Amino acid sequence: MENVISLVEDRLKNGQWKLTNRRKHILTVLLENRGKHLSVEEVHGLANQKAPYVGLATVYRTLELFLLNDVVQSMDFGDGRKRYELCDPGSGGQQHHHLICIRCGNVVEFSRDLLKGLEPELNMRYKFKVETLQLNVFGFCRKCRPEKGSHQGTV
Ligand SMILES: [Zn+2]
Ligand SMILES: [Zn+2]
């Protein structure tokens, strides 16, 4: 964990930013909640389970600063709330993708390997050089998928 903190510290330093105590506090919250996709309000709530108190605006600004420096990635699972999660360290900022259940809100991450062919294909067909690729797939999870034979359609 210390390792990640000093990595982030270096990254911010490159952009002339400092990892202040409050920023470190918020980073620790993200580290302790790995694998979750947290809204600003959720990070705010978690951060304030421990001192020091951090205001909502500070949490928001810090998350945006982290986003700018590729410390976190952000996503929208279709509920109108921006969510944040730490980028996978050591992957060079590479991202994973999400399967989002439109009934229960369950989020499953899937590996970018599944889309390995997509980037070269986009490059070839559309002369488009992909910088970041993040895919959110909406549907029904294992528990919620409609029974066979019933036609509930997709949203
Ligand atoms: Zn579900
Ligand atoms: Zn994720």
Side-chain angles (χ1 to χ4, degrees):
M1 190 150 122
E2 276 305 314
N3 198 8
V4 177
I5 290 176
S6 57
L7 265 172
V8 171
E9 198 157 22
D10 286 346
R11 197 169 290 181
L12 291 187
K13 223 182 268 169
N14 287 337
Q16 312 292 320
W17 299 95
K18 267 197 199 136
L19 188 61
T20 59
N21 280 337
R22 276 204 253 175
R23 287 175 185 156
K24 198 188 265 186
H25 182 55
I26 292 166
L27 177 62
T28 309
V29 169
L30 294 173
L31 278 167
E32 286 170 354
N33 291 279
R34 269 258 159 89
K36 292 188 194 159
H37 307 88
L38 301 168
S39 66
V40 179
E41 289 80 10
E42 285 166 337
V43 176
H44 180 243
L46 289 163
N48 287 314
Q49 286 171 4
K50 289 183 216 158
Y53 178 78
V54 208
L56 187 62
T58 306
V59 174
Y60 178 72
R61 281 197 304 265
T62 305
L63 290 171
E64 288 296 306
L65 176 71
F66 286 167
L67 190 61
L68 196 71
N69 288 280
D70 293 325
V71 174
V72 297
Q73 54 175 309
S74 76
M75 64 227 57
D76 181 350
F77 291 155
D79 58 0
R81 290 170 107 189
K82 194 171 182 181
R83 295 172 182 280
Y84 301 84
E85 73 173 325
L86 281 177
C87 292
D88 308 329
S91 67
Q94 292 198 337
Q95 296 167 319
H96 55 255
H97 306 291
H98 300 100
L99 302 173
I100 301 130
C101 178
I102 50 183
R103 183 166 292 160
C104 72
N106 187 29
V107 176
V108 178
E109 298 184 339
F110 71 94
S111 158
R112 55 182 289 124
D113 292 352
L114 273 174
L115 296 171
K116 228 187 284 172
L118 185 61
E119 290 182 30
E121 190 67 25
L122 291 174
N123 199 347
M124 218 163 66
R125 266 197 224 184
Y126 302 97
K127 300 282 169 267
F128 191 86
K129 167 82 181 73
V130 176
E131 273 298 309
T132 50
L133 176 68
Q134 196 197 322
L135 191 68
N136 293 330
V137 184
F138 296 89
F140 295 99
C141 76
R142 197 186 314 191
K143 272 181 279 167
C144 302
R145 53 185 303 164
E147 294 300 317
K148 265 185 202 157
S150 74
H151 290 280
Q152 291 190 281
T154 44
V155 176

